[in-house]
Amino acid sequence: MISPQNLIGAGTETTSTMTEWAMSLLLNHPAVLEKAQAEIDALIGTSRLVSADDVTRLAYLQCIVSETLRLYPAAPTLLPHLSSADSNVGGYNVPRDTMLIVNAYAIHRDPVAWEDPLEFRPERFVDGKADGLFMIPFGMGRRRCPGKTLALRMIGMALATLVQCFDWERVDGMEVDMTEGGGLTIAKVVPLEAVCRPRVVMRDVLQNF
Ligand code: HEM
C-alpha cells in the first residue's frame, strides 16, 4: 500500500538530488552546458520560458538527464525485493523468500557494457546509441518506479529552465566536489554551490514573469 507521504517522500528527494547532480556535472563540463543552452535557444528561443511540453523535444537535454541517471542513480541499490519462488539465476540457487538487492550503481558503471564508464558523456545517448545497454535507474518489472514519467518531466523542466534563464559559473573557478554519500539514496556530501547570473537575452521574459 502506497500512502501520500510515501509518494511525496519517494518523489521529492530523488528528483531534487538528481537535479543537483545534473547541475554539478554541467558546471564541471562547461562545453556540455553550452551545448544544452544552444539547443534550448535554437528550439525554444529567448522570448518565452521553456514549458513542460518542450522537454521531450530537447533531445540533448534528455541525453544529459540519462547520463546523470546512469552515473548517479538516486536509488543505487533500488529497493529490496523478495523472491516469490525457488529459482536459479546464473547458476546460483535462490530460495523463495530471499531478500534480493540489485546494484544498479555497479551495473551502470560496468566497463564491459559502457565505454569509459566513469566519464560524463551525454553524447553516448545521442540518436539512440545507448539503446540496448542495460540501465535501471527506476528499477524494472511490476515494482518499478511508478513516478518515472513525472520524474523525467520534472528534472528536464527544472534543468531546462535553469540553463535557459541563467549563465552559470563555479565558485572561484573550483571544480564542483562530486563526493558521493552512502545510504539508500545517493546524495552529494558537499551540497552544490554555484554562481548564476540572469542571461541578458532573457531579461524581458524574466522581468515580465
Ligand atoms: C529521478 C527520480 C526517481 C528515481 C531515480 C526513482 C527511482 C525509484 C526506484 C529505483 C524504485 C524502486 C524500484 C525497484 O526496486 O524495482 C522506486 C520506487 C518508487 N518510486 Fe521512484 N524514483 C524517482 C522519482 C519518483 C517520483 C517522482 C515518484 C512519485 C511521485 C516516485 C514514487 C515511487 C514509489 C511510490 C515507489 C515504490 C513502488 C513500489 O514499491 O511498488 N518516484 N523509485
Side-chain angles (χ1 to χ4, degrees), residues 140-192:
M140 61 186 295
R142 275 187 297 178
R143 300 303 294 267
R144 70 185 175 278
C145 176
K148 175 180 172 182
T149 308
L150 175 64
L152 290 176
R153 197 55 80 93
M154 285 197 298
I155 297 169
M157 184 63 192
L159 266 189
T161 309
L162 293 173
V163 170
Q164 183 191 32
C165 295
F166 300 95
D167 282 321
W168 292 88
E169 270 172 45
R170 297 180 285 203
V171 179
D172 299 329
M174 302 275 287
E175 282 267 303
V176 175
D177 188 312
M178 301 298 279
T179 311
E180 302 155 22
L184 258 186
T185 54
I186 191 168
K188 283 189 90 250
V189 169
V190 182
L192 172 62

Side-chain angles (χ1 to χ4, degrees), residues 14-52:
T14 44
T15 38
S16 60
T17 306
M18 291 314 302
T19 309
E20 189 183 10
W21 280 116
M23 276 311 294
S24 305
L25 286 162
L26 290 180
L27 281 152
N28 279 348
H29 298 84
V32 176
L33 177 54
E34 217 171 282
K35 205 166 157 184
Q37 206 170 52
E39 178 185 56
I40 295 171
D41 287 352
L43 275 160
I44 318 295
T46 52
S47 57
R48 69 170 177 89
L49 280 178
V50 65
S51 77

Side-chain angles (χ1 to χ4, degrees), residues 70-88:
R70 183 185 71 81
L71 281 170
Y72 301 100
T77 53
L78 310 184
L79 292 179
H81 290 255
L82 209 64
S83 56
S84 53
D86 292 344
S87 47
N88 185 287

Side-chain angles (χ1 to χ4, degrees), residues 129-144:
K129 272 193 286 201
D131 288 357
L133 293 180
F134 196 55
M135 239 181 87
I136 45 168
F138 295 98
M140 61 186 295
R142 275 187 297 178
R143 300 303 294 267
R144 70 185 175 278

Side-chain angles (χ1 to χ4, degrees), residues 100-112:
L100 302 167
I101 294 179
V102 178
N103 192 344
Y105 180 93
I107 292 170
H108 293 183
R109 292 171 177 233
D110 180 359
V112 174

